[in-house]
Every structure is written in C-alpha cells, then in structure tokens.
Amino acid sequence: MTIGPRPRYNRCVKIVAIGGGPASLYFAILTKKADPSHEIVVLERNRPDDTFGFGVVFSDATLDNFRDADPETHAAIARAFAHWDDIDIHYQGQVLTSTGHGFSGLSRQRLLDILQSRAAELGVVTRFSTEVDRATAWEDADLVVAADGVNSWVRQRYARHFRPQIDWRRNRFVWLGTTFVFPAFTFIFKEDEHGLWRVHAYGYERGHSTFILESTEDTWRRAGLDEAGEDDTVAFAQALFARELDGHPVLKNRSLWRSFPVIRNERWHHDNIVLVGDAAHTAHFSIGSGTKLAMEDAIALRRSLADHRDVGRALAAYEAERRPEVEALQRAAQTSLEWFEQTERYHGRLEPVQFAFSLLTRSLRVSHDNLKARDAKLVATVDRWFAEKASQQTGTSVAAAPPPPPMFTPFRLRSLVLANRVVVSPMCQYSAEDGTPGDWHLVHLGSRAVGGAGLVMTEMTDVSREGRISPGCTGMYKPEHVTAWKRIVDFVHGCSAARIGIQLAHAGRKGSTRRLWEGIDEPLAEGNWSLISASPIPYFPYSQVPRAMDRGDMDGVRDDFVRAVRMADQAGFDLVELHFAHGYLLASFLSPLTNRRDDEYGGSMVNRLRFPLEVFNAVRAAWPAAKPMSVRLSATDWKDGGLQLADAVEIARALRVHGCDIVDVSAGNTVPDQAPAYGRLFQTPFSDRIRHEAGIATMTVGAVASYADVNSILAAGRADLCVLARAHLYDPYWTRHAAREQGVDLPWPDQYVSVAGYSPRGGPSRGPQAERASEERPGSAGA
Ligand SMILES: Cc1cc2nc3c(=O)[nH]c(=O)nc-3n(C[C@H](O)[C@H](O)[C@H](O)COP(=O)(O)OP(=O)(O)OC[C@H]3O[C@@H](n4cnc5c(N)ncnc54)[C@H](O)[C@@H]3O)c2cc1C
Ligand SMILES: Cc1cc2nc3c(=O)[nH]c(=O)nc-3n(C[C@H](O)[C@H](O)[C@H](O)COP(=O)(O)O)c2cc1C
C-alpha cells in the first residue's frame, strides 16, 4: 500500500514522519513527549551520521521558542553552540562592525545528533537508510508528516493537491566550510576580474566556520565555475579569500554550485498528509531561517494536534495559524535575497556606512529603530553621516551633535529646500465645483501643512474639464482656479513651514466616473463626457470606449498642460508633479496593455514615451527654471505583458535627461485585473532600483508605516523623500507626532505656541528634548 487518502481518525496515534531532518525529528520529539502512547516512526534515506553542509544559525529569539517547547533539547543545543553578537562587513578594504545582533551557530551534524538521541530517548523509532517511495508501506498511519526537504518526493507525488510553486533564483551559491574561525557573523564583498563575490560566513564550533560563496550567474560563468568540480571550487575560493581566511583551508562537503529555490505551496495538507519545513516552504539562507522555520513548524503542528482530536481539523488549523507567519518571513527573505542578487547596484556606489546600513536593513524587517536598540553607536554614525550629506546638498547647516534622525534633515530640489523628508501624498477629495477647490481643500491641505510635513501635494488636479476623473475633481483650467488655489498656497506659505506642490493630470480613459464613495472607477450614471486615450480600450468591459488620440488631440492636451502649469506658477506653487501613473492619460501611452498604437507613439518603449515626454518638455519649458518638477510613475503594471520595473528605470533615465528632478514611485492601477503584491513598504524596492539605476532622486510611497520606516528608507538610500497618504488621513499631525517621539523640536505656529510646554500625558512639559533628558536623569524634573 502506498501513501494515500486515508480515513480520518478521531485520535492520532500512529504517525509516520518522512525525512530525518530538523522538522521531522523535532516534531517527533515534541509529540512523543506530550503523549508517549503515540507510535512515531521516522524514515530517513541517509545513515545517522551522513550530513551535508556545515553549520546552522539561530537568533536568540528562536532559541527562546525552543526553550519553551522542550527545555532538554534547548539545553543540549545551548551547550553546543557558538554565540556571537557582532556582524562584520568587509567592504572595499574596510571592516565595519555592528554589534547587538545575538546569534548562535552550531553544526548541522551536532544538531541532528542532539535531535536523534532525544527522539530515541523518548521512544521515537528512526529507520535510517530507508528511502520512501511508491513501494513503501504505510498500513496504519493516522498522520503522515512529509518533512522530506527541499526536493520533497511527497510534495511531488501529491502536486495536484499541494500545488507547489518553485521559483529558481538567478544567483549561484555553494556551501563550503573552513577551519578559520570568524570572530563574528561575517559578510565579505570582494571584487575580482570576473565580478563581485559575496560571502556569508560564521563560526559554528571550535575550529570550523560555514563559508557560503555567492555570485551572479554571469560572474560565476566568467570565472569558469560552471564547469568546476568540487576541488576546483575549493581552490578558487581559497585563492580569492586567502587574506580573509588567513591562509586557512576551505573545506568541501558535497559542495556543489546551486541556485536557490523559493518554494511555496498553495496547500500544505491533503487528507492525513501534511508538508512541513523545506518541503512546504523555503526562506533564503541570507536570513538564516530555514531550520528555524522547520522547527517552529514542528512546534505549531504539535500544538494543533493537541488542540484538535480530528486529524483533518488539526491540519487545517495548523495551516491557518502558521501560514501568515511563514509568508511574512518569506517576504522578508525575498527582499533579502533580492538585495544579494542586486548587490552590484550598491557596491562601490554607496559609502561604507550607508552600504552597511543598507545591508543590515535589507529585509525591511529591521528598521532604524530596531537597529538603534541593537547598536546605537552605529545608528548615530549613520545619522551623523546623513545629516552632513543633507547639509552639503542643501547648503544649510544641520545639527551634528546630536544629529537629527534622517527624516528631519532638509532636502533641496533646484531652489526649493524642504525642511524635512515627509510628503503628504496626492489624495483626491472629490469635493470641487467645476474644478474649483473650496473650504474643504483649504482645511484638508492646510491642516496637513500645519501638521509638519515638509511638502504637501495637492490631489490629482486636471488640466481640462474633460480631463477630470469625476465631477468632483479639482482642476487648473479656469481663471478662478488660480484664485482658489492661491488662497490655499498662501495659507500654507504663511502659516506653516511646509511647501506645496500640485499634481497635474488628465484622466484619459479613467475619466467620467463617480466619486470614490459612489463607486471607484465606475462610469457615471448620467452626465458623462467623452473620453480620449492612447488606444480605444475601455477600463472595465462595460466602461465607455475612449477615442484613440490623433495628433490634434495631442496638441490640445499638451497645450492644456502648459496652460495649467503657468496658472500653477501664478498661484504660487513650489513644485509641479506630472501624473504618469495609475492608468491615467499619460500612463496609458506608457503601458503596452493600454497602448496598442502602430504609429510612432506605440510599440517600442521609446515610442510609447514620446508623447508623455513631449508634454513633460513643454511643461518644463513653461515652468520657472528655479522650480523643480516631479513625475509620478507606476513602476510596474503588476500584470503579464504590462510595464515592468526595467521599463520604469528606462523612463526615469529619460526623464532625468529631460530635466525631471525627482520621480514619485508608485505602481499599478493601470488595469483592473492586476495582481498587486501589497504589504509594508511594498513599493519601496521599486524606488530603490530606480534611484540607483536611473541616477535620479526618488520619493517612495505605499504603506510607509512608521517613523522608523522613514528613517530606514532614507538612511539606506532607498528614496530621498517618503510619501504617506492614508497615514495622513488618519493623523494630519503625523510629522509633529514623529518629531515629539524622536525628541525633535518643530516650530509651532504662533497661535499654538502654548502647546510647546504641554505634555499629552498630563503635567507640564518642557518639550521633547527636555523631557527625554529628564527621563535620563531621574529626579531632575523640577517645577
Ligand atoms: C547553503 C544553505 C545554507 C543554509 N544555512 C542555514 C542556516 O544558517 N540556518 C538555518 O536555519 N538554515 C539554513 N539552511 C536551511 C536548512 O538547511 C533547511 O532549511 C533545514 O534543514 C530544513 O529542515 P527540514 O527538516 O525541513 O529539511 P531537511 O533538513 O532537508 O531534511 C529532510 C530530510 O529528508 C530526507 N529525505 C528526503 N527525501 C527522502 C525520501 N524520499 N525518503 C527518506 N528520506 C528522505 C533527507 O535525506 C533529509 O535528511 C541553509 C540551506 C542552504 C542550502
Ligand atoms: C483617498 C485617496 C485618494 C488618492 N488620490 C490620489 C491622487 O489624486 N493622485 C495620486 O497619484 N494618488 C492618489 N492616491 C494614492 C496615494 O497617493 C498613495 O499612492 C496610496 O494611497 C499609497 O500610499 P499609502 O499606503 O501611504 O496610503 C490616493 C489615495 C487615497 C487613499
């Protein structure tokens, strides 16, 4: 009999675990310990002392989980591990050290020995040298735990049910060892004539370190390693890193070059079979968490089985509880692995301190604040460096002792100097009368300016009546618009330290629709106006079909933009942003999904960019040279056949050459059937790439969630400004609150000066810096 659908038992007594790795053995230990009446058999193809690889790493937090789950295993691991706090970064001939990270390493063989003997002690039967395949018998298993690793046979056998996705990543790596004991977790970045090599290394026992060598596929091929045997690889690594290894040998153990497979499964359980560990999911070794995930799966599965007597329910509950946690970690691992795939982007371009900060915060899970808690000295160095750069860039003086957090440093765009790096994102209010902004807009934008942001952007403001999204959209096409906007601009300039920019747009095929709260992107029930776009493709199948623009339409739209920007200048705006994003008119030319033209405005990227660039050039010529221009881009359409990030880099490069000062990097909203990948900072990697590869300043937007996120993004060089939309709807004083929390004094308007001495927690306050000082010196807070 083979593994297959089995009846569900009310009580799980007979368990077969396939694979004798950490997931399987740890699950067997925890389950047998909780109920010795279970019969648990582990089947492993290898012999007990066969192991491949060298060491594994756990964070202090992971070890705490192990202590709670089984103190005996934890104690044995703790006796065997090497602990360290530091991370050393070898970069351009320097070694930068960051402390406070708390990791432990131990040999994989030692870990397996500990788990094997603990399992045996509890009465788990492990059958080594047993290959599980179609012919293996399972007569009585109530539960089959498929922990057969990254190449899982069970996953393959039941692929129809688990629906696995395997994403083979493009870098190459090899798992080596060395007798040199690295004093810290060590990253080495080293260039030779073939390219850039990355090393991830750590000591895991006396006289031994893990040494993982990684490079891009091109570098690997140029070095001839695609044809190398194990001994050639060892000789290559030993020669290249002779200095860092102090002449110690490099060791092999089935050290074959591989690509990393990111494994996901749509389902982790089928009938009485459950996938755990690498069989279910992998997380890149650069966050060192594969074994952690495997063992934490075991903890969660054991808990679910204890909570539910029915195996089917237990497995469903296990998956429901565990999946979000694993997916969050996989997202972090993905961002981390991409950093290592793209290290060439930063190497040699970033100064050492910023390179180190970028590396340490690469997964976006470690923020400026987390890092400060671990290594305050490093973060102070980063902040000082950042403040100095800001001071040079703006020609203003920025405090150096102590330096402000990066978000409170100034930033210059042409003659415009912003007091800080927080931007209120453009947000349609759908509350204008024939394009004229009113009291709502004054209060909406005015309160956010008083709230402390460095730059406040108007909502998408349309260059003609027919260019509006909805009847409630603001415009810049009638003389009274100048007066109405000037009232708002004057308020912002007169009553706050903020500057104000206007986002100019034409809605294209997404026009003539309802207000947000009446049905976003839904066509108006009545009073429609006719639409234009790059091609005659409706947004929804039932939306109005736009007319494909001819040259006359293009001239008209270009001139509308020019008229609007002249009016914006009269109204006193400090910056103008052109909307090339979210599927509106100019974006409809950029995306191959919405531009099917066969003239010189369709086809290649150069052609698709032709009309938007023509509008940009005309606006740039009409807008004062001292005032900056921004363009909001959708960096990807999140749809096959649509605009990709590489295209956005090309567009940004062209914009820079044509005098654009900054790109506001958004994404999507081109087509309704997009497949976006949302999550914290979901668009920041796009900004990072555009900033470095196109060589232009960027703003990042999209779920920038905290003050710490803003500081991290800026310090790592992922963007120059951070743009927040919904956070500002929730809290117009977001920046003021950020300032107070970080001990920065933002000047208050005269009308509000009394608040400077007010503490929301009650009692008098002498401002955040004074408050912090008094916390540090208990007893000094006087009357
Ligand atoms: C280069 C590299 C570095 C890594 N570094 C770290 C690190 O620092 N820290 C960390 O936590 N993780 C690290 N990992 C990941 C880690 O090795 C795995 O994530 C972890 O071992 C997963 O445990 P597992 O029990 O799911 O699978 P495995 O440890 O792979 O165990 C699966 C077992 O199943 C057996 N098996 C497979 N098929 C069959 C079959 N048909 N019949 C019988 N037996 C079978 C295999 O022999 C194996 O023993 C690294 C991985 C790589 C590739
Ligand atoms: C109510 C609302 C209106 C918006 N209007 C615009 C707009 O006019 N122009 C624009 O480019 N983006 C607009 N957006 C998108 C935001 O500017 C921003 O890119 C998006 O909300 C993601 O940022 P967040 O996660 O900080 O909210 C709008 C978003 C919201 C919530």
Side-chain angles (χ1 to χ4, degrees):
M1 199 173 166
T2 56
I3 309 174
R6 304 201 50 84
R8 287 185 184 151
Y9 291 79
N10 275 341
R11 186 138 187 282
C12 171
V13 284
K14 197 151 190 188
I15 300 171
V16 170
I18 303 173
S24 170
L25 289 170
Y26 201 44
F27 169 76
I29 290 168
L30 300 179
T31 308
K32 189 77 180 168
K33 183 180 149 177
D35 185 347
S37 72
H38 287 312
E39 194 186 318
I40 308 179
V41 180
V42 173
L43 302 175
E44 166 59 48
R45 63 153 67 114
N46 291 326
R47 288 166 307 181
D49 51 357
D50 281 343
T51 194
F52 307 111
F54 296 88
V56 297
V57 188
F58 298 123
S59 69
D60 286 357
T62 303
L63 288 169
D64 289 346
N65 289 345
F66 296 168
R67 184 190 293 114
D68 296 343
D70 184 41
E72 288 82 353
T73 316
H74 174 266
I77 291 175
R79 275 194 298 277
F81 64 48
H83 186 270
W84 67 91
D85 280 323
D86 291 355
I87 296 181
D88 280 353
I89 302 162
H90 294 236
Y91 179 66
Q92 301 205 301
Q94 295 186 35
V95 181
L96 289 100
T97 300
S98 172
T99 196
H101 298 282
F103 285 113
S104 300
L106 84 161
S107 91
R108 177 169 155 102
Q109 179 63 68
R110 187 80 193 97
L111 175 67
L112 289 178
D113 290 347
I114 290 169
L115 297 176
Q116 284 167 10
S117 51
R118 176 80 176 130
E121 177 188 309
L122 290 166
V124 172
V125 176
T126 305
R127 291 201 195 118
F128 291 99
S129 308
T130 305
E131 177 80 29
V132 174
D133 57 21
R134 275 175 167 275
T136 315
W138 303 108
E139 319 265 347
D140 304 319
D142 300 324
L143 169 68
V144 177
V145 177
D148 51 344
V150 75
N151 298 315
S152 172
W153 175 81
V154 181
R155 185 183 66 222
Q156 224 23 59
R157 168 106 171 77
Y158 292 98
R160 202 159 52 90
H161 300 285
F162 296 127
R163 294 191 290 277
Q165 295 152 16
I166 305 184
D167 176 15
W168 290 95
R169 301 307 306 187
R170 46 179 207 261
N171 269 10
R172 298 296 169 137
F173 71 94
V174 60
W175 203 348
L176 298 159
T178 172
T179 55
F180 179 76
V181 179
F182 287 92
F185 191 106
T186 301
F187 291 111
I188 305 173
F189 298 90
K190 189 163 191 173
E191 244 169 343
D192 71 354
E193 67 274 26
H194 310 298
L196 177 67
W197 301 91
R198 307 86 162 126
V199 170
H200 314 240
Y202 51 89
Y204 60 85
E205 66 184 13
R206 189 186 300 251
H208 284 105
S209 293
T210 296
F211 190 88
I212 301 168
L213 182 57
E214 184 188 5
S215 74
T216 62
E217 184 173 351
D218 285 350
T219 299
W220 174 72
R221 284 190 193 283
R222 273 196 295 270
L225 291 169
D226 50 333
E227 291 178 1
E230 267 186 289
D231 291 336
D232 303 320
T233 296
V234 165
F236 176 84
Q238 210 157 283
L240 183 59
F241 295 98
R243 187 166 48 80
E244 290 80 359
L245 294 173
D246 201 19
H248 279 257
V250 167
L251 309 173
K252 63 180 180 182
N253 179 356
R254 279 240 200 138
S255 300
L256 305 172
W257 285 94
R258 297 182 251 185
S259 309
F260 188 85
V262 177
I263 294 174
R264 298 183 174 88
N265 283 273
E266 272 182 44
R267 273 173 68 95
W268 292 351
H269 70 282
H270 163 59
D271 201 68
N272 63 332
I273 308 170
V274 61
L275 297 177
V276 296
D278 275 9
H281 45 67
T282 55
H284 192 245
F285 55 85
S286 61
I287 61 166
S289 290
T291 308
K292 161 204 156 79
L293 277 182
M295 291 174 67
E296 289 179 349
D297 279 0
I299 297 173
L301 179 57
R302 144 81 210 115
R303 209 175 29 235
S304 259
L305 285 164
D307 290 349
H308 301 84
R309 288 176 65 82
D310 176 84
V311 171
R313 273 203 209 120
L315 299 188
Y318 160 72
E319 184 168 339
E321 177 205 321
R322 189 78 185 119
R323 189 179 271 282
E325 221 167 300
V326 167
E327 287 181 350
L329 206 115
Q330 282 191 303
R331 273 198 300 278
Q334 183 72 18
T335 320
S336 175
L337 79 80
E338 284 173 14
W339 194 95
F340 281 101
E341 286 176 350
Q342 294 151 8
T343 312
E344 280 78 359
R345 184 188 296 158
Y346 315 109
H347 191 263
R349 298 195 181 148
L350 300 189
E351 291 184 33
V353 66
Q354 189 170 39
F355 184 87
F357 188 87
S358 172
L359 169 66
L360 294 171
T361 58
R362 68 190 176 279
S363 73
L364 304 182
R365 293 241 291 196
V366 175
S367 71
H368 185 268
D369 258 19
N370 308 142
L371 198 56
K372 196 167 172 178
R374 296 179 192 189
D375 189 352
K377 207 165 136 212
L378 177 83
V379 172
T381 307
V382 171
D383 288 357
R384 204 170 314 113
W385 172 86
F386 196 86
E388 268 168 35
K389 291 275 154 197
S391 171
Q392 287 161 12
Q393 198 259 349
T394 53
T396 61
S397 77
V398 180
M407 72 182 283
F408 287 106
T409 58
F411 185 65
R412 176 187 286 276
L413 290 162
R414 299 195 183 218
S415 66
L416 173 68
V417 177
L418 302 175
N420 63 58
R421 309 292 186 113
V422 181
V423 179
V424 176
S425 201
M427 279 181 283
C428 285
Q429 299 297 295
Y430 305 95
S431 304
E433 289 294 330
D434 190 10
T436 308
D439 289 352
W440 176 264
H441 302 87
L442 175 69
V443 174
H444 168 68
L445 295 168
S447 57
R448 278 146 192 91
V450 174
L455 177 67
V456 175
M457 291 299 303
T458 70
E459 67 195 77
M460 169 166 157
T461 297
D462 304 304
V463 297
S464 61
R465 184 175 290 112
E466 312 73 50
R468 291 173 303 163
I469 306 173
S470 78
C473 288
T474 54
M476 193 60 113
Y477 51 83
K478 289 199 304 190
E480 45 272 53
H481 293 161
V482 177
T483 318
W485 279 119
K486 189 168 185 314
R487 177 173 169 240
I488 295 168
V489 170
D490 287 349
F491 176 86
V492 170
H493 287 163
C495 301
S496 81
R499 291 290 169 261
I500 180 163
I502 184 166
Q503 186 184 56
L504 291 180
H506 186 300
R509 71 174 189 149
K510 289 175 81 177
S512 194
T513 59
R514 302 177 201 182
R515 292 170 170 84
L516 171 80
W517 49 90
E518 294 164 351
I520 192 152
D521 297 325
E522 291 294 329
L524 287 171
E526 53 188 28
N528 283 287
W529 54 88
S530 58
L531 302 180
I532 51 172
S533 189
S535 296
I537 307 168
Y539 183 68
F540 292 125
Y542 53 86
S543 301
Q544 190 187 140
V545 180
R547 179 164 51 81
M549 288 171 73
D550 60 20
R551 191 53 244 185
D553 296 319
M554 292 185 204
D555 291 345
V557 166
R558 182 201 56 214
D559 294 348
D560 287 345
F561 270 93
V562 168
R563 179 187 57 207
V565 84
R566 291 204 172 109
M567 290 163 80
D569 185 38
Q570 284 168 34
F573 281 103
D574 302 299
L575 172 147
V576 65
E577 172 168 293
L578 297 190
H579 205 334
F580 279 25
H582 303 172
Y584 295 111
L585 184 72
L586 297 175
S588 77
F589 277 84
L590 297 178
S591 170
L593 299 174
T594 49
N595 182 343
R596 302 276 165 75
R597 300 176 73 102
D598 54 12
D599 59 5
E600 68 268 42
Y601 302 101
S604 68
M605 186 70 251
V606 172
N607 280 0
R608 283 181 279 129
L609 184 55
R610 196 181 304 280
F611 178 59
L613 210 48
E614 185 184 323
V615 172
F616 179 89
N617 288 337
V619 169
R620 183 62 272 179
W623 183 239
K627 292 190 183 184
M629 276 187 71
S630 161
V631 168
R632 181 169 267 209
L633 273 186
S634 280
T636 166
D637 287 334
W638 279 317
K639 170 106 182 137
D640 287 346
L643 200 82
Q644 307 296 330
L645 186 50
D647 303 320
V649 172
E650 212 180 305
I651 296 170
R653 259 192 216 119
L655 287 169
R656 175 173 56 78
V657 171
H658 286 254
C660 178
D661 302 288
I662 190 161
V663 176
D664 180 357
V665 185
S666 186
N669 296 306
T670 308
V671 288
D673 54 343
Q674 60 180 0
Y678 293 130
R680 197 173 124 250
L681 307 182
F682 64 104
Q683 292 169 161
T684 297
F686 308 150
S687 159
D688 186 2
R689 176 153 173 202
I690 289 175
R691 185 173 186 271
H692 287 101
E693 293 188 4
I696 189 165
T698 59
M699 311 192 213
T700 183
V701 64
V704 178
S706 67
Y707 319 147
D709 281 342
V710 173
N711 287 326
S712 310
I713 289 166
L714 296 169
R718 298 186 176 104
D720 297 278
L721 297 175
C722 289
V723 186
L724 291 85
R726 289 162 299 173
H728 275 120
L729 292 184
Y730 178 74
D731 180 5
Y733 278 29
W734 193 90
T735 308
R736 288 203 175 277
H737 292 145
R740 172 172 274 270
E741 200 135 305
Q742 298 176 83
V744 173
D745 280 319
L746 277 195
W748 285 93
D750 291 346
Q751 295 87 335
Y752 288 179
V753 283
S754 320
V755 85
Y758 171 75
S759 159
R761 275 172 264 132
S765 152
R766 289 152 300 121
Q769 269 163 350
E771 211 170 62
R772 178 169 292 190
S774 73
E775 278 164 14
E776 283 164 8
R777 289 181 280 112
S780 68

